[in-house]
Amino acid sequence: MKADCMLKTEFEVIISDTDFERFVEFFYRKSGIYFDKSKRYFVERRLIERIKSGEFSSFKNYFLFLRYQDSGRELQELINTLTINETYFFREEYQFKCMVNSMLPEIISRKKPGSTIKIWSIPSSSGEEPYSICIYLLEYWKDIDKWDVEVIGSDIDTSVIEKARKGIYSKRSLDTLPKDIFQKYFNHISDGTFQISDELRESIRFTIVNIVDETEMKKYRGFDIIFCRNLLIYFDDLSRKLAVENLYDALNPGGFICLGHSESMSRISPLFKIRKFPEAIVYQKPLEEEE
Protein backbone atom coordinates (compact mmCIF):
# COMPACT_ATOMS: atom_id res chain seq x y z
CA MET A 1 0.00 0.00 0.00
CA LYS A 2 1.51 3.33 -1.06
CA ALA A 3 2.12 5.82 1.72
CA ASP A 4 1.42 8.81 -0.54
CA CYS A 5 -2.09 7.57 -1.26
CA MET A 6 -3.45 7.48 2.27
CA LEU A 7 -3.45 8.85 5.78
CA LYS A 8 -4.14 6.71 8.83
CA THR A 9 -6.88 7.49 11.30
CA GLU A 10 -8.75 4.76 13.22
CA PHE A 11 -9.03 2.99 9.85
CA GLU A 12 -7.11 3.29 6.63
CA VAL A 13 -8.50 5.60 3.96
CA ILE A 14 -7.12 5.07 0.48
CA ILE A 15 -7.46 7.80 -2.12
CA SER A 16 -6.10 6.53 -5.43
CA ASP A 17 -4.75 8.72 -8.19
CA THR A 18 -7.98 8.22 -10.12
CA ASP A 19 -10.09 9.07 -7.07
CA PHE A 20 -8.09 12.25 -6.50
CA GLU A 21 -8.47 13.34 -10.13
CA ARG A 22 -12.24 12.70 -10.03
CA PHE A 23 -12.57 14.70 -6.83
CA VAL A 24 -10.50 17.61 -8.15
CA GLU A 25 -12.63 17.77 -11.29
CA PHE A 26 -15.86 17.66 -9.25
CA PHE A 27 -14.69 20.35 -6.82
CA TYR A 28 -13.57 22.53 -9.71
CA ARG A 29 -17.00 22.32 -11.37
CA LYS A 30 -18.71 23.26 -8.11
CA SER A 31 -16.40 26.01 -6.86
CA GLY A 32 -14.16 27.12 -9.73
CA ILE A 33 -11.13 26.33 -7.57
CA TYR A 34 -8.60 23.94 -9.06
CA PHE A 35 -6.11 21.93 -7.01
CA ASP A 36 -3.08 20.60 -8.87
CA LYS A 37 -0.94 17.68 -7.74
CA SER A 38 1.22 19.91 -5.59
CA LYS A 39 -1.80 20.48 -3.30
CA ARG A 40 -2.60 16.79 -2.98
CA TYR A 41 -1.34 16.36 0.58
CA PHE A 42 -3.29 19.44 1.75
CA VAL A 43 -6.49 18.26 0.02
CA GLU A 44 -6.23 14.63 1.19
CA ARG A 45 -5.71 15.60 4.82
CA ARG A 46 -8.91 17.64 4.82
CA LEU A 47 -10.88 15.09 2.85
CA ILE A 48 -9.98 12.41 5.36
CA GLU A 49 -11.02 14.71 8.21
CA ARG A 50 -14.47 14.99 6.62
CA ILE A 51 -14.64 11.23 5.96
CA LYS A 52 -13.76 10.56 9.58
CA SER A 53 -16.25 13.08 10.95
CA GLY A 54 -19.06 11.52 8.89
CA GLU A 55 -18.01 7.96 9.75
CA PHE A 56 -17.91 6.87 6.12
CA SER A 57 -16.27 3.52 5.40
CA SER A 58 -14.28 4.69 2.38
CA PHE A 59 -13.56 7.62 0.11
CA LYS A 60 -15.86 6.16 -2.55
CA ASN A 61 -18.82 6.09 -0.15
CA TYR A 62 -18.08 9.62 0.95
CA PHE A 63 -17.71 10.88 -2.62
CA LEU A 64 -21.03 9.30 -3.61
CA PHE A 65 -22.74 11.03 -0.67
CA LEU A 66 -21.01 14.32 -1.49
CA ARG A 67 -22.22 14.30 -5.10
CA TYR A 68 -25.86 13.41 -4.44
CA GLN A 69 -26.76 14.92 -1.07
CA ASP A 70 -29.91 16.98 -1.74
CA SER A 71 -29.14 19.76 0.73
CA GLY A 72 -25.55 20.28 -0.46
CA ARG A 73 -24.56 20.78 3.17
CA GLU A 74 -21.53 18.50 3.05
CA LEU A 75 -20.23 20.21 -0.09
CA GLN A 76 -20.46 23.55 1.69
CA GLU A 77 -18.61 22.14 4.71
CA LEU A 78 -15.90 20.86 2.38
CA ILE A 79 -15.63 24.22 0.63
CA ASN A 80 -15.24 25.84 4.04
CA THR A 81 -12.49 23.35 4.89
CA LEU A 82 -10.56 23.70 1.64
CA THR A 83 -10.60 27.47 1.23
CA ILE A 84 -7.79 29.41 2.86
CA ASN A 85 -8.77 32.54 4.78
CA GLU A 86 -5.86 34.54 6.12
CA THR A 87 -6.09 38.30 6.34
CA TYR A 88 -5.67 41.25 8.70
CA PHE A 89 -6.81 44.84 9.09
CA PHE A 90 -5.49 47.50 6.68
CA ARG A 91 -3.87 44.85 4.48
CA GLU A 92 -2.32 46.47 1.37
CA GLU A 93 -3.28 49.86 2.77
CA TYR A 94 -2.03 51.72 -0.31
CA GLN A 95 -5.20 50.63 -2.12
CA PHE A 96 -7.39 52.14 0.59
CA LYS A 97 -5.43 55.37 0.19
CA CYS A 98 -6.07 55.16 -3.55
CA MET A 99 -9.77 54.66 -2.83
CA VAL A 100 -10.16 57.88 -0.82
CA ASN A 101 -7.64 60.05 -2.69
CA SER A 102 -8.16 59.04 -6.32
CA MET A 103 -10.99 56.61 -7.08
CA LEU A 104 -13.79 58.15 -5.02
CA PRO A 105 -13.20 61.77 -6.19
CA GLU A 106 -13.52 60.52 -9.77
CA ILE A 107 -16.60 58.46 -8.96
CA ILE A 108 -18.50 61.26 -7.22
CA SER A 109 -17.73 63.64 -10.09
CA ARG A 110 -20.12 61.50 -12.16
CA LYS A 111 -22.72 60.89 -9.43
CA LYS A 112 -25.94 62.77 -8.87
CA PRO A 113 -26.37 64.24 -5.38
CA GLY A 114 -28.19 61.81 -3.11
CA SER A 115 -27.16 58.69 -5.04
CA THR A 116 -25.49 55.74 -3.35
CA ILE A 117 -21.85 54.67 -3.61
CA LYS A 118 -21.52 50.88 -3.53
CA ILE A 119 -18.30 49.11 -2.51
CA TRP A 120 -17.87 45.33 -2.58
CA SER A 121 -15.30 43.17 -0.80
CA ILE A 122 -15.05 39.68 -2.31
CA PRO A 123 -13.75 37.44 -0.84
CA SER A 124 -14.43 39.14 2.46
CA SER A 125 -13.10 36.23 4.52
CA SER A 126 -13.73 36.86 8.24
CA GLY A 127 -14.47 40.55 7.70
CA GLU A 128 -11.16 42.33 8.14
CA GLU A 129 -11.22 43.85 4.65
CA PRO A 130 -14.79 45.25 4.55
CA TYR A 131 -14.42 46.59 8.09
CA SER A 132 -11.11 48.17 7.07
CA ILE A 133 -12.87 49.84 4.13
CA CYS A 134 -15.49 51.34 6.46
CA ILE A 135 -12.91 52.55 8.96
CA TYR A 136 -10.79 54.08 6.22
CA LEU A 137 -13.76 55.94 4.80
CA LEU A 138 -14.75 57.26 8.22
CA GLU A 139 -11.23 58.33 9.12
CA TYR A 140 -9.73 59.56 5.88
CA TRP A 141 -12.41 60.48 3.32
CA LYS A 142 -13.37 64.11 3.77
CA ASP A 143 -16.65 63.72 1.86
CA ILE A 144 -17.98 60.75 3.82
CA ASP A 145 -20.79 62.80 5.40
CA LYS A 146 -22.03 63.98 2.01
CA TRP A 147 -22.73 60.55 0.53
CA ASP A 148 -24.64 57.39 1.32
CA VAL A 149 -22.13 54.53 1.14
CA GLU A 150 -23.10 50.86 1.02
CA VAL A 151 -20.43 48.26 1.79
CA ILE A 152 -21.04 44.57 1.10
CA GLY A 153 -18.77 41.68 2.04
CA SER A 154 -19.15 38.31 0.30
CA ASP A 155 -17.46 34.92 0.42
CA ILE A 156 -18.09 31.33 -0.65
CA ASP A 157 -17.19 30.10 2.86
CA THR A 158 -20.21 30.16 5.18
CA SER A 159 -18.12 29.76 8.34
CA VAL A 160 -16.02 32.88 7.77
CA ILE A 161 -19.11 34.91 6.93
CA GLU A 162 -20.52 34.01 10.35
CA LYS A 163 -17.25 35.14 11.94
CA ALA A 164 -17.41 38.38 9.98
CA ARG A 165 -20.92 39.11 11.20
CA LYS A 166 -19.81 38.65 14.81
CA GLY A 167 -16.76 40.86 14.26
CA ILE A 168 -14.61 39.25 16.97
CA TYR A 169 -10.84 39.23 16.41
CA SER A 170 -7.63 38.31 18.14
CA LYS A 171 -4.99 40.92 18.86
CA ARG A 172 -2.85 39.43 16.09
CA SER A 173 -5.14 40.54 13.26
CA LEU A 174 -5.45 44.01 14.83
CA ASP A 175 -1.74 44.74 15.24
CA THR A 176 -1.59 46.65 11.94
CA LEU A 177 -4.11 49.26 13.10
CA PRO A 178 -2.98 52.61 14.51
CA LYS A 179 -3.52 52.66 18.27
CA ASP A 180 -6.08 55.49 18.21
CA ILE A 181 -8.19 53.71 15.58
CA PHE A 182 -8.01 50.43 17.47
CA GLN A 183 -9.22 52.11 20.66
CA LYS A 184 -11.96 53.99 18.81
CA TYR A 185 -13.61 51.07 17.01
CA PHE A 186 -12.94 47.96 19.12
CA ASN A 187 -14.19 46.78 22.49
CA HIS A 188 -12.31 44.33 24.69
CA ILE A 189 -14.49 41.26 25.35
CA SER A 190 -12.10 38.66 26.80
CA ASP A 191 -8.43 37.85 27.17
CA GLY A 192 -6.82 38.64 23.80
CA THR A 193 -10.08 39.09 21.87
CA PHE A 194 -11.86 42.24 20.75
CA GLN A 195 -15.15 42.99 19.00
CA ILE A 196 -15.69 45.73 16.46
CA SER A 197 -18.28 48.36 17.37
CA ASP A 198 -21.99 47.64 16.90
CA GLU A 199 -22.28 50.59 14.54
CA LEU A 200 -19.74 49.13 12.13
CA ARG A 201 -21.11 45.59 12.37
CA GLU A 202 -24.56 46.88 11.49
CA SER A 203 -23.26 48.95 8.58
CA ILE A 204 -22.04 46.03 6.43
CA ARG A 205 -24.15 43.39 4.72
CA PHE A 206 -22.44 40.00 4.50
CA THR A 207 -23.54 37.47 1.88
CA ILE A 208 -22.61 34.05 0.47
CA VAL A 209 -21.70 33.92 -3.23
CA ASN A 210 -19.70 31.82 -5.66
CA ILE A 211 -17.91 34.24 -7.95
CA VAL A 212 -17.93 31.83 -10.92
CA ASP A 213 -21.66 31.11 -10.66
CA GLU A 214 -23.28 33.40 -13.23
CA THR A 215 -26.77 32.95 -11.77
CA GLU A 216 -25.68 33.93 -8.25
CA MET A 217 -23.62 36.84 -9.52
CA LYS A 218 -26.56 38.38 -11.37
CA LYS A 219 -27.82 39.58 -7.98
CA TYR A 220 -24.75 41.79 -7.62
CA ARG A 221 -24.92 44.92 -9.75
CA GLY A 222 -24.24 48.64 -9.58
CA PHE A 223 -20.92 48.65 -7.72
CA ASP A 224 -18.50 51.56 -7.95
CA ILE A 225 -15.48 49.85 -6.38
CA ILE A 226 -14.72 46.15 -6.00
CA PHE A 227 -11.89 44.78 -3.87
CA CYS A 228 -11.14 41.28 -5.19
CA ARG A 229 -7.68 40.61 -3.83
CA ASN A 230 -5.75 37.34 -3.89
CA LEU A 231 -8.66 35.24 -5.13
CA LEU A 232 -8.12 34.85 -8.88
CA ILE A 233 -4.74 33.20 -8.32
CA TYR A 234 -6.58 30.08 -7.09
CA PHE A 235 -8.50 29.62 -10.36
CA ASP A 236 -7.49 28.10 -13.66
CA ASP A 237 -7.65 30.20 -16.86
CA LEU A 238 -11.25 29.34 -17.68
CA SER A 239 -12.66 30.03 -14.20
CA ARG A 240 -10.54 33.16 -13.90
CA LYS A 241 -11.94 34.53 -17.14
CA LEU A 242 -15.52 33.73 -16.07
CA ALA A 243 -14.99 35.37 -12.68
CA VAL A 244 -13.60 38.53 -14.28
CA GLU A 245 -16.54 38.75 -16.69
CA ASN A 246 -18.94 38.44 -13.74
CA LEU A 247 -17.08 41.20 -11.88
CA TYR A 248 -17.19 43.38 -14.99
CA ASP A 249 -20.98 43.00 -15.14
CA ALA A 250 -21.23 43.86 -11.43
CA LEU A 251 -19.48 47.23 -11.90
CA ASN A 252 -21.00 50.50 -13.01
CA PRO A 253 -19.37 52.04 -16.10
CA GLY A 254 -16.31 53.88 -14.82
CA GLY A 255 -16.12 51.67 -11.73
CA PHE A 256 -12.86 50.31 -10.38
CA ILE A 257 -11.55 46.91 -9.31
CA CYS A 258 -8.55 46.33 -7.01
CA LEU A 259 -6.61 43.07 -7.28
CA GLY A 260 -3.86 41.62 -5.09
CA HIS A 261 -0.32 42.88 -5.59
CA SER A 262 0.71 39.67 -7.43
CA GLU A 263 -2.32 39.67 -9.77
CA SER A 264 -2.63 41.36 -13.15
CA MET A 265 -5.90 41.93 -14.98
CA SER A 266 -4.11 42.49 -18.29
CA ARG A 267 -3.08 38.81 -18.30
CA ILE A 268 -6.69 37.69 -17.84
CA SER A 269 -9.02 39.93 -19.83
CA PRO A 270 -8.98 42.97 -22.16
CA LEU A 271 -12.28 44.23 -20.72
CA PHE A 272 -10.69 46.63 -18.24
CA LYS A 273 -8.33 49.50 -18.77
CA ILE A 274 -5.33 50.08 -16.51
CA ARG A 275 -5.39 53.18 -14.32
CA LYS A 276 -2.12 54.26 -12.74
CA PHE A 277 -2.89 56.49 -9.78
CA PRO A 278 -0.20 57.94 -7.47
CA GLU A 279 -1.09 55.40 -4.77
CA ALA A 280 -1.78 52.23 -6.78
CA ILE A 281 -2.47 50.58 -10.11
CA VAL A 282 -6.12 49.57 -10.40
CA TYR A 283 -8.44 48.50 -13.21
CA GLN A 284 -11.43 50.39 -14.55
CA LYS A 285 -14.54 49.42 -16.46
CA PRO A 286 -14.66 51.87 -19.37
CA LEU A 287 -17.35 54.52 -19.45
CA GLU A 288 -20.14 53.77 -21.89
CA GLU A 289 -18.88 56.32 -24.42
CA GLU A 290 -15.43 54.68 -24.34
CA GLU A 291 -16.66 51.14 -25.06
Side-chain angles (χ1 to χ4, degrees):
M1 190 173 293
K2 294 183 179 179
D4 63 348
C5 292
M6 67 175 184
L7 283 176
K8 291 185 177 180
T9 56
E10 287 83 353
F11 55 91
E12 293 180 341
V13 177
I14 302 172
I15 301 177
S16 69
D17 293 344
T18 302
D19 290 338
F20 183 76
E21 289 170 5
R22 289 178 64 209
F23 170 77
V24 167
E25 181 183 354
F26 168 79
F27 193 78
Y28 168 70
R29 290 199 313 270
K30 294 296 185 180
S31 70
I33 299 171
Y34 180 76
F35 293 111
D36 61 25
K37 292 180 180 178
S38 68
K39 299 291 193 301
R40 178 163 178 166
Y41 179 72
F42 165 81
V43 173
E44 283 194 1
R45 281 179 57 201
R46 282 150 182 79
L47 271 174
I48 290 172
E49 287 173 3
R50 295 306 307 167
I51 293 169
K52 179 182 176 182
S53 67
E55 298 183 352
F56 294 92
S57 61
S58 68
F59 169 79
K60 287 182 173 61
N61 287 341
Y62 172 77
F63 190 48
L64 187 68
F65 175 79
L66 182 69
R67 291 170 61 195
Y68 296 110
Q69 184 187 32
D70 289 339
S71 68
R73 185 177 299 170
E74 179 58 28
L75 175 61
Q76 184 61 63
E77 289 293 334
L78 193 59
I79 288 172
N80 294 354
T81 300
L82 290 174
T83 49
I84 301 169
N85 300 282
E86 183 177 353
T87 185
Y88 49 87
F89 281 85
F90 282 21
R91 185 176 186 179
E92 297 179 14
E93 184 181 356
Y94 62 90
Q95 290 185 341
F96 299 142
K97 291 180 180 178
C98 186
M99 173 180 66
V100 299
N101 295 334
S102 299
M103 288 186 277
L104 282 172
E106 190 170 314
I107 288 166
I108 63 174
S109 71
R110 298 188 296 267
K111 288 272 188 183
K112 294 180 180 178
S115 56
T116 300
I117 295 169
K118 292 181 67 176
I119 302 174
W120 194 14
S121 167
I122 178 171
S124 62
S125 187
S126 45
E128 288 89 338
E129 181 174 274
Y131 286 129
S132 293
I133 291 168
C134 286
I135 292 171
Y136 223 84
L137 292 171
L138 290 168
E139 292 295 315
Y140 302 113
W141 189 35
K142 61 183 178 61
D143 291 323
I144 183 64
D145 293 330
K146 300 177 183 178
W147 295 89
D148 179 26
V149 181
E150 181 181 352
V151 179
I152 296 174
S154 302
D155 205 289
I156 194 173
D157 186 336
T158 56
S159 63
V160 295
I161 286 295
E162 285 306 309
K163 290 179 182 178
R165 288 173 178 150
K166 293 175 181 177
I168 298 174
Y169 301 98
S170 67
K171 188 67 169 63
R172 180 172 174 267
S173 66
L174 301 169
D175 281 343
T176 49
L177 287 173
K179 185 177 180 180
D180 59 329
I181 289 179
F182 167 68
Q183 293 175 338
K184 185 175 181 179
Y185 293 103
F186 290 85
N187 302 308
H188 181 261
I189 59 170
S190 64
D191 186 31
T193 59
F194 302 83
Q195 187 170 38
I196 203 160
S197 68
D198 292 347
E199 181 183 2
L200 280 181
R201 283 191 292 118
E202 293 168 1
S203 69
I204 297 176
R205 180 162 62 94
F206 287 101
T207 67
I208 307 295
V209 67
N210 182 346
I211 195 174
V212 297
D213 188 316
E214 189 175 358
T215 301
E216 288 185 29
M217 288 289 286
K218 283 180 179 177
K219 297 181 291 185
Y220 297 86
R221 292 292 186 266
F223 289 95
D224 298 294
I225 300 175
I226 297 176
F227 287 85
C228 182
R229 307 192 291 188
N230 305 312
L231 173 64
L232 300 178
I233 55 176
Y234 295 104
F235 295 159
D236 71 345
D237 291 342
L238 182 61
S239 293
R240 197 176 292 121
K241 184 174 182 294
L242 178 58
V244 165
E245 289 172 353
N246 287 336
L247 292 171
Y248 181 88
D249 290 339
L251 277 172
N252 285 328
F256 298 97
I257 183 167
C258 301
L259 301 182
H261 70 275
S262 63
E263 299 171 304
S264 172
M265 186 67 76
S266 57
R267 300 189 197 128
I268 305 170
S269 171
L271 290 172
F272 294 85
K273 65 177 184 178
I274 300 174
R275 293 296 306 275
K276 296 181 179 179
F277 290 117
E279 307 86 2
I281 295 174
V282 299
Y283 302 92
Q284 186 177 32
K285 179 175 180 175
L287 293 165
E288 291 173 342
E289 60 265 23
E290 297 175 337
E291 295 181 355

